[in-house]
Amino acid sequence: MNKTIIANWKLNLDHLEAIQLFQKLNYSLDNDIDKKIKIVVAPSFTSLRSIQTIIEADKLKLYLASQDVSEFVEGAYTGEVSVTQLEKLKISFCIVGHSERRQHFNETDESINLKVHNLINKKIVPVICFGESIEQRKNENYLDFLIEQVEKSIKGLRKDKVDEIIFAYEPVWAIGTGETPSLQNIVDVISNIKEFLSSKSFFDEENTKFIYGGSVTPDNSKEILNTQIVNGALVGGASLDVDKFIKIIESIE
Ligand code: PGA
């Protein structure tokens, strides 16, 4: 089955530790892993170059994602990392709008939208995170909120560009908490977003992907990942443990 599994290492590991974890993952992966499964690692910026060198030298079938990117392309923006810099590192994917960035760094729908445009211009696949907080969840209209988040993130894009995007449904209350929505709930949310995108002719059955993130573990991955509408997972905590991460990958049938 065609699935994309992304390891979000967040603010963990220096570059030496990241290399170690990456090598452990690489050696532990069964060569027989279905070629249709894309395994992606998202370390901190400081580790991207080291890991990219290993992938390139050993011609590995593993992919790199950045955890974020600047909304600016170049210039006087101290501390930022641009899409051009990521492109040079042959980064394939970039997480955008993660709830931790929205929450702790005041990331807005507008800046997320700028990042998405910049990434698509450089042919780096944006992994756009959207999800509701527990307060929003209690509101009957939370699906409208999710649709609005998605709509704002892709504002102004050409229709044929949206198929290149991965949308990651990440309920904020499920991230790092051990709680997950029911499978039916995940399916309903993704179906609703799909319907919305289709109504705007923004959906391509072949290419547009929906993944789930929020407390994915070997205990729930089988159910989630073998559901057709779910095209993969964004894994945080469990991705720092190679054995757990491999079990998640192996649960794909
Ligand atoms: P978690 O994180 O798997 O630790 O819940 C997921 C994420 O933040 O992407």
Side-chain angles (χ1 to χ4, degrees):
M1 246 198 266
N2 237 319
K3 305 277 174 181
T4 303
I5 311 293
I6 306 174
N8 178 8
W9 289 349
K10 307 194 181 188
L11 182 49
N12 294 294
L13 316 174
D14 61 39
H15 77 286
L16 297 175
E17 291 163 338
I19 292 172
Q20 225 175 9
L21 188 65
F22 179 79
Q23 292 287 31
K24 188 170 176 205
L25 171 65
N26 180 35
Y27 293 134
S28 314
L29 277 172
D30 189 338
N31 279 336
D32 295 338
I33 290 251
D34 192 330
K35 299 282 180 292
K36 288 192 198 136
I37 302 174
K38 262 195 182 151
I39 300 164
V40 185
V41 173
S44 298
F45 285 130
T46 50
S47 306
L48 286 172
R49 172 64 174 152
S50 319
I51 297 182
Q52 182 250 336
T53 310
I54 302 170
I55 292 180
E56 200 162 79
D58 296 347
K59 297 192 174 51
L60 302 179
K61 281 275 164 253
L62 290 163
Y63 300 84
L64 263 183
S66 165
Q67 293 177 16
D68 189 30
V69 66
S70 177
E71 66 189 72
F72 302 106
V73 176
E74 64 175 350
Y77 300 103
T78 304
E80 292 290 272
V81 172
S82 76
V83 273
T84 319
Q85 293 166 328
L86 295 183
E87 181 195 30
K88 260 284 190 272
L89 279 176
K90 304 193 176 106
I91 304 299
S92 312
F93 302 87
C94 178
I95 300 171
V96 210
H98 191 284
S99 62
E100 288 155 10
R101 296 216 57 84
R102 295 182 196 250
Q103 188 188 339
H104 303 302
F105 305 97
N106 303 322
E107 198 155 293
T108 62
D109 290 320
E110 290 68 33
S111 71
I112 291 163
N113 179 243
L114 284 171
K115 292 175 184 192
V116 170
H117 275 268
N118 293 341
L119 288 164
I120 286 188
N121 285 341
K122 293 291 182 193
K123 299 202 172 350
I124 298 170
V125 176
V127 179
I128 302 177
C129 301
F130 67 98
E132 79 286 358
S133 66
I134 194 70
E135 292 77 30
Q136 283 153 344
R137 174 74 173 209
K138 288 178 189 148
N139 183 333
E140 269 177 29
N141 301 330
Y142 81 93
L143 276 172
D144 295 338
F145 168 78
L146 296 178
I147 289 174
E148 195 183 316
Q149 261 191 340
V150 168
E151 185 171 27
K152 286 183 173 165
S153 70
I154 58 172
K155 194 171 160 211
L157 282 183
R158 275 199 359 231
K159 291 185 198 297
D160 60 321
K161 296 292 180 192
V162 178
D163 8 325
E164 294 159 22
I165 292 175
I166 295 179
F167 293 96
Y169 174 45
E170 292 215 315
V172 181
W173 52 272
I175 297 175
T177 60
E179 289 189 45
T180 49
S182 68
L183 182 61
Q184 189 55 49
N185 190 218
I186 297 173
V187 171
D188 287 347
V189 168
I190 295 179
S191 306
N192 269 278
I193 302 292
K194 260 188 167 181
E195 221 168 87
F196 162 74
L197 291 174
S198 301
S199 73
K200 305 269 176 207
S201 312
F202 260 132
F203 176 71
D204 180 275
E205 192 65 51
E206 279 283 291
N207 296 308
T208 316
K209 292 197 172 64
F210 292 89
I211 64 176
Y212 169 79
S215 297
V216 175
T217 64
D219 296 330
N220 57 29
S221 57
K222 191 168 178 166
E223 189 189 39
I224 297 172
L225 287 170
N226 292 304
T227 302
Q228 208 183 349
I229 201 167
V230 184
N231 303 117
L234 185 50
V235 187
S239 71
L240 290 165
D241 179 325
V242 167
D243 296 334
K244 284 189 186 160
F245 191 57
I246 299 257
K247 275 190 191 140
I248 291 172
I249 295 166
E250 288 178 345
S251 65
I252 302 170
E253 284 162 355

